[in-house]
């Protein structure tokens, strides 16, 4: 894809002091413009309150800021400061944009902490950053991120973390394949790191954890062991009990995510007295049922707002559970579900639609 250039911003050449707080929550568009003028190298974290994975990635982002004090880290609430995401063509969160001298040079979309750490490592090695460290008068040059600190970040990056050769879909050794099969068999949610992709991690983790072989399984940053340990725990029916501290955090994260989603759904439903969740838009419906429903509302002079569920899979799936209604379109009046197309058709046939719709919502 092509890179979207940010709107023209007058640059003032300044260097970011190592003693300045390099982790900043952006308040508004002007604040953003002011901050990106502070230094050449900037990383932006676009997030939203309703997005569960953003919470974890915000924590990762703040930890990375401590490891790269000469880079400016900006947190942007994509819904509260909604002008800034348009600069960089951001349409999903979490998303991260890397700026060099005001120009986007890299981008990451999604909640992958390992990918973010890897991109940060490459970004931290750019010539501009090296030049910056060299010209600081009277200050020592910034050392590379300590390997042990990076290993601590990686082992703690998910509640249940496994270091393997290859990936879960394509393990590169039999031991790694078997531990992945064991975790999947027990329906354990986990994240992984491919130690073949980074030899410094591969060698360093052996010393860091005093465990010389792979795979290695961690729960909340603590080593459980390798394949033999995991097999023994499973045979003794103790695997899930051992993983429980990590599973508890995963469950809490899911509950928090669902609570935030339900809060967002309530806000969407309350957007207008008459609200339609449909496939497509009233001007361009994407299915026959949605087309028929908005046609009925239009024919009866109903004023309504709509939400295109094709544009947001989280809303599409979440509202089915939230309202206990599995199909679309869905019609809400005063924040209460009326039903789908069949219900609306019945109301029209029985001349009851006007009784359901508030009088001030009819032309």
């Amino acid at each position: 894809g092509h890179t979207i250039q940010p709107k023209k911003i007058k640059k003032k050449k300044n260097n970011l002091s190592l003693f300045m707080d390099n982790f900043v929550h952006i308040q508004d568009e002007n604040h953003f413009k002011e901050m990106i003028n502070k230094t050449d190298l900037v990383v932006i974290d676009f997030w939203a309150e309703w997005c569960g994975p953003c919470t974890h990635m915000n924590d990762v982002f703040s930890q990375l800021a401590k490891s790269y004090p000469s880079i400016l880290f900006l947190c942007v609430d994509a819904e509260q400061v909604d002008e800034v995401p348009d600069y960089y063509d951001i349409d999903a969160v979490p998303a991260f944009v890397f700026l060099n001298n005001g120009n986007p040079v890299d981008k990451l979309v999604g909640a992958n902490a390992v990918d973010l750490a890897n991109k940060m490592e490459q970004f931290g090695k750019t010539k501009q950053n090296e030049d910056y460290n060299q010209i600081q008068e009277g200050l020592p040059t910034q050392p590379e991120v300590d390997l042990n600190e990076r290993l601590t970040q990686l082992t703690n990056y998910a509640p249940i973390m496994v270091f393997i050769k290859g990936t879960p879909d394509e393990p590169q050794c039999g031991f790694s394949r078997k531990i992945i099969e064991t975790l999947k068999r027990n329906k354990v949610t986990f994240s992984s790191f491919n130690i073949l992709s980074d030899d410094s991690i591969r060698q360093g983790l052996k010393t860091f954890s005093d465990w010389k072989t792979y795979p290695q399984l961690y729960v909340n940053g603590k080593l459980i062991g390798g394949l033999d340990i995991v097999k023994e725990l499973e045979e003794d029916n103790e695997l899930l009990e051992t993983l429980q501290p990590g599973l508890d955090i995963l469950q809490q994260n899911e509950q928090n995510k669902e609570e935030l989603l339900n809060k967002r759904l309530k806000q969407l439903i309350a957007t207008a007295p008459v609200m339609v969740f449909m496939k497509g838009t009233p001007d361009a419906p994407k299915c026959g049922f949605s087309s028929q429903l908005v046609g009925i509302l239009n024919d009866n002079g109903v004023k309504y707002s709509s939400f295109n569920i094709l544009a947001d899979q989280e809303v599409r799936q979440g509202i089915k559970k939230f309202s206990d209604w599995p199909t679309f379109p869905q019609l809400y009046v005063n924040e209460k579900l009326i039903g789908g197309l069949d219900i609306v058709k019945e109301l029209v046939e029985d001349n009851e639609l006007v009784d359901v719709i508030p009088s001030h919502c009819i032309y």
Side-chain angles (χ1 to χ4, degrees):
H2 61 286
T3 299
I4 302 297
Q5 295 292 333
K7 296 175 184 175
K8 205 69 176 174
I9 298 171
K10 187 177 179 182
K11 289 286 289 180
K12 289 190 295 182
K13 292 298 290 183
N14 270 322
N15 284 321
L16 177 69
S17 166
L18 285 175
F19 299 111
M20 165 186 176
D21 183 8
N22 69 319
F23 182 78
V24 180
H25 287 275
I26 295 301
Q27 305 301 319
D28 52 38
E29 186 179 14
N30 288 334
H31 185 212
F32 174 77
K33 291 178 179 179
E34 175 190 342
M35 292 310 299
I36 67 168
N37 279 330
K38 296 286 186 183
T39 187
D40 287 337
L41 297 185
V42 180
V43 188
I44 312 166
D45 170 13
F46 291 98
W47 66 285
E49 183 182 356
W50 52 263
C51 175
C54 286
T55 303
H56 171 61
M57 293 304 292
N58 286 352
D59 291 340
V60 173
F61 193 69
S62 66
Q63 289 300 314
L64 287 169
K66 297 175 184 177
S67 300
Y68 297 91
S70 59
I71 295 176
L72 181 59
F73 288 70
L74 304 180
C75 276
V76 176
D77 186 327
E79 293 194 330
Q80 296 298 320
V81 192
D82 56 1
E83 307 93 344
V84 176
D86 292 340
Y87 293 177
Y88 309 105
D89 200 22
I90 299 298
D91 56 10
V93 292
F96 304 87
V97 174
F98 299 77
L99 303 183
N100 188 342
N101 199 26
N103 298 312
V105 294
D106 204 354
K107 184 176 177 180
L108 174 67
V109 179
N112 191 319
V114 175
D115 282 355
L116 180 60
N118 288 338
K119 283 184 177 291
M120 275 306 312
E121 185 175 16
Q122 292 303 313
F123 189 58
K125 292 178 180 176
T126 57
K127 182 177 184 301
Q128 286 77 6
N129 196 35
E130 292 167 357
D131 289 345
Y132 163 76
N133 282 329
Q134 290 168 5
I135 64 173
Q136 294 300 304
E137 294 181 6
L139 290 174
T141 57
Q142 176 64 24
E144 288 189 21
V145 182
D146 180 76
L147 178 60
N148 282 347
E149 187 174 344
R150 188 170 173 223
L151 292 169
T152 300
Q153 292 171 357
L154 286 173
T155 52
N156 283 278
Y157 128 83
I160 298 177
M161 185 73 185
V162 60
F163 290 78
I164 61 175
K165 294 179 180 179
T167 66
D169 292 332
E170 295 183 4
Q172 298 296 311
C173 81
F175 300 118
S176 294
R177 186 185 73 253
K178 287 178 181 177
I179 200 168
I180 294 300
E181 289 173 351
T182 301
L183 294 173
K184 288 183 176 179
R185 183 167 57 247
N186 286 274
K187 297 182 172 57
V188 174
T189 301
F190 63 91
S191 295
S192 68
F193 183 88
N194 177 10
I195 53 109
L196 299 179
S197 68
D198 191 322
D199 197 58
S200 65
I201 297 296
R202 179 179 183 175
Q203 302 304 328
L205 194 58
K206 295 177 183 179
T207 304
F208 180 81
S209 297
D210 195 20
W211 195 271
K212 304 304 179 187
T213 59
Y214 291 98
Q216 295 182 15
L217 179 66
Y218 293 77
V219 175
N220 294 339
K222 295 181 180 179
L223 175 69
I224 301 301
L227 177 62
D228 289 343
I229 299 292
V230 171
K231 285 171 66 176
E232 186 177 325
L233 288 170
E234 185 183 34
E235 290 168 3
D236 295 340
N237 294 318
E238 295 176 356
L239 179 60
L240 293 181
E241 180 183 342
T242 303
L243 300 180
Q244 197 60 49
L247 295 173
D248 287 343
I249 291 178
L250 287 167
Q251 183 179 17
Q252 185 62 49
N253 288 345
E254 282 302 309
Q255 289 174 350
N256 292 342
K257 181 180 178 181
E258 186 172 356
E259 288 173 7
L260 289 169
L261 176 58
N262 286 344
K263 179 181 176 182
R264 184 183 176 216
L265 293 173
K266 288 178 182 178
Q267 292 172 341
L268 285 173
I269 291 168
T271 300
V274 181
M275 189 71 186
V276 179
F277 289 79
M278 59 182 290
K279 295 180 179 179
T281 65
D283 293 333
K286 296 299 184 182
C287 82
F289 300 116
S290 294
S291 179
Q292 289 183 59
L293 179 62
V294 297
I296 290 172
L297 296 178
N298 291 336
D299 290 344
N300 284 272
V302 177
K303 292 186 286 186
Y304 62 93
S305 294
S306 67
F307 185 89
N308 178 10
I309 53 100
L310 298 180
D312 192 320
Q313 286 299 311
E314 196 169 35
V315 170
R316 180 178 185 174
Q317 300 305 323
I319 202 166
K320 293 179 184 178
K321 182 178 179 182
F322 180 82
S323 298
D324 195 21
W325 194 271
T327 58
F328 294 97
Q330 296 181 11
L331 175 66
Y332 293 79
V333 175
N334 290 331
E335 301 179 37
K336 293 183 178 179
L337 175 68
I338 302 302
L341 177 62
D342 290 343
I343 300 293
V344 173
K345 280 183 173 180
E346 284 182 25
L347 291 171
V348 171
E349 290 169 3
D350 296 338
N351 293 316
E352 294 178 355
L353 183 62
V354 290
D355 298 329
V356 173
I357 306 296
S359 57
H360 65 275
C361 293
I362 298 179
Y363 291 108

